[in-house]
Structures are given as C-alpha cells and as structure tokens.
Amino acid sequence: LPHNRRVDTDAFVRDGFVTVRGAFDAETARACREMIWDSLGEHGVSRDPATWAMPCVEINCPEGEPFAAAGTSPALGAAYDELIGPGRWTRRAGAGGAVPVRFPSEEFPGNCGYHIEGSFAGPGPELELWVNVRSRARGLLVLFLFSDVGPDDAPTRLICGSHLYIPAILQRYGETGLPSDDVSGRWRPSVLCRGTAHATGKAGDVYLCHPFIVHTATWPHRGATPRMLAQPAVHVRDGFALDGTDPSPVAQAIVTGLTSYADSPRPR
C-alpha cells in the first residue's frame, strides 16, 4: 500500500471488506476476553467445558477500558476515515454491538443463514431493522476478533463481491427501504456462488465490511476454545450520496453496484 494509506480501498470496493491486522494488541484482547467471561458467568457459563451446553451464547459487548482501547484504536480510526470519510462517522467509547460467543459443538446453533445487516428501525411497530440504498445510519459492519479464530472455530463467512449486487435490489424501495431480512429473498441465487472468505485471524485483528456484504455464521465449531468476537456497526448519520459527489469507498461500491449490476435482482 502507499505509505499514506492504512487499508486497500480498491480491494474494499471490489471484495466488500478489508482486514486491519493487529488493530489492537494481544494484552487488550486478553483483557476483553476476561470481561466477556465475567458476562458469560451471568448465564451460568464458565471456563469449565462442562458448562458449555449451548453452541452459542450472545451477550451485549461489555463496556470498560479494554473495549475502549480496542474500539478507539488509532489504526481503526484511520481506516474509518479512509472508507467513510473524516468527520462523517460517529465515534463511540468502546467496541459496541453484540458478542456471539461460539462454543465447540457439532450442534446447529440456530443463527446461521446468509443475510445483510439492518441499519435503522423500521416504520412499523415491529422490532425489526431496515436498510435502504444509501445505507442510512450504517457505515460499516465491523468484526472485532477478541480470540484467535481459525478455520475450525466457526468463523464468519463473507461472500466476496456480494455487496455489489445489493444496491440494485434496494434502489426500487427508495429512501424508505425495506426490512433487511427481506433482502435475501430478492437476490439471485448466483450471488451465493461467488468466492468466499472467512473472518479468521489473531485476537486483535478487525474486519471492516461494506454494509451490504452478504455473510453468515458457520457451523460446526470443531476447535478447542470458545470463539469471541463483536460485530458492531460504525454509525453514519446521513448515509451516503449516490450522485457521484461522495468520494468514500463505501459510496463508490454502491454506485458501482447500481451501474454494473442493475439487472441483478431476482424477478418478482
């Protein structure tokens, strides 16, 4: 990469994600795991494998100094600036989001399925998240690895380039958008035939994903230790402009999808 770039923005536009290796150090990751274990204790789960009865236990990401250190990593701040734009994303005190802790198990965890993330509360009374073509409210999906994650540890699977097929689906729903859970019924099955990548790496690595990337949890977990990661959004108040005036790689990818994959939605 050129010396003044922290992430490969061309790869981000093409593939829908980039990885910041060593975004926070091993000691910070260890301290985060300690706090995650403390939270798991409230669910009757300890380091004793005899307590690992469920394949997945999801908790809210704890607050505290190690999570603040991870979430405010200078390397991540620089990467957010490159992908979204300086001053456009909302800084937070910690990592945020949910922490789905996956335990070694052959059992189906019940939360696997290809999807994109929702971004904002829908107009109805239902508690569901919606998404629109400008990606209102969400700038990125971020995967913080608090534990080492290898190929046997149920890593998140990312469909490379899938984010380029989603804008044409969302465009017809305008500013209102639609529930994110409804998007999967509208993409062509061939979207899932693209190459895949898995969010593996060392504790302290962080994956920065386009808001529209299609992804899924995987199973089984055939590793030896629980997999711990957080999956927050980076909040962007106004979303992205799609008229060619927005220089951010997030917006560039959406515009690329609209111009190159305009016929991609499945016929209804």
Side-chain angles (χ1 to χ4, degrees):
L1 291 177
H3 72 279
N4 60 336
R5 287 173 59 184
R6 295 294 185 96
V7 294
D8 188 338
T9 54
D10 294 335
F12 178 85
V13 173
R14 181 189 69 236
D15 298 330
F17 70 94
V18 290
T19 310
V20 180
R21 301 292 182 189
F24 53 97
D25 62 37
E27 180 56 30
T28 297
R30 185 201 64 77
C32 289
R33 290 195 300 273
E34 291 295 321
M35 294 188 69
I36 291 170
W37 278 118
D38 289 344
S39 294
L40 289 171
E42 300 173 8
H43 297 266
V45 179
S46 72
R47 289 176 175 78
D48 181 357
T51 66
W52 302 351
M54 299 290 291
C56 181
V57 177
E58 185 170 301
I59 62 173
N60 291 326
C61 189
E63 302 290 341
E65 193 282 328
F67 291 97
T72 60
S73 156
L76 291 183
Y80 297 163
D81 282 348
E82 285 192 59
L83 296 175
I84 297 171
R88 297 182 63 183
W89 51 277
T90 303
R91 296 182 182 274
R92 66 194 322 162
V99 178
V101 181
R102 297 289 301 276
F103 295 91
S105 175
E106 294 286 326
E107 183 181 345
F108 178 61
N111 62 347
C112 295
Y114 288 105
H115 65 285
I116 68 169
E117 295 296 322
S119 301
F120 55 91
E126 301 85 0
L127 296 176
E128 60 183 358
L129 290 176
W130 284 43
V131 61
N132 72 6
V133 69
R134 293 197 309 106
S135 194
R136 170 184 161 194
R138 180 183 287 269
L140 295 168
L141 164 66
V142 184
L143 304 177
F144 285 82
L145 274 56
F146 294 121
S147 63
D148 292 350
V149 180
D152 291 333
D153 299 321
T156 303
R157 180 180 298 140
L158 309 169
I159 305 294
C160 300
S162 57
H163 63 302
L164 299 173
Y165 292 81
I166 302 304
I169 297 171
L170 298 176
Q171 185 179 37
R172 66 184 65 181
Y173 299 97
E175 189 68 21
T176 300
L178 77 164
S180 60
D181 288 345
D182 291 354
V183 175
S184 61
R186 290 168 166 78
W187 63 54
R188 293 184 182 274
S190 59
V191 170
L192 303 184
C193 297
R194 298 184 60 84
T196 62
H198 291 85
T200 58
K202 294 290 187 181
D205 292 347
V206 176
Y207 282 71
L208 307 181
C209 305
H210 193 279
F212 297 161
I213 196 165
V214 178
H215 61 286
T216 182
T218 64
W219 72 288
H221 182 336
R222 291 180 172 147
T225 58
R227 186 217 67 181
M228 298 178 177
L229 63 77
Q231 47 189 28
V234 175
H235 183 264
V236 173
R237 184 182 60 189
D238 296 323
F240 298 89
L242 306 180
D243 59 1
T245 63
D246 192 329
S248 70
V250 175
Q252 290 175 25
I254 298 174
V255 172
T256 297
L258 290 173
T259 55
S260 301
Y261 299 90
D263 63 345
S264 64
R266 176 191 290 182
R268 301 294 291 170

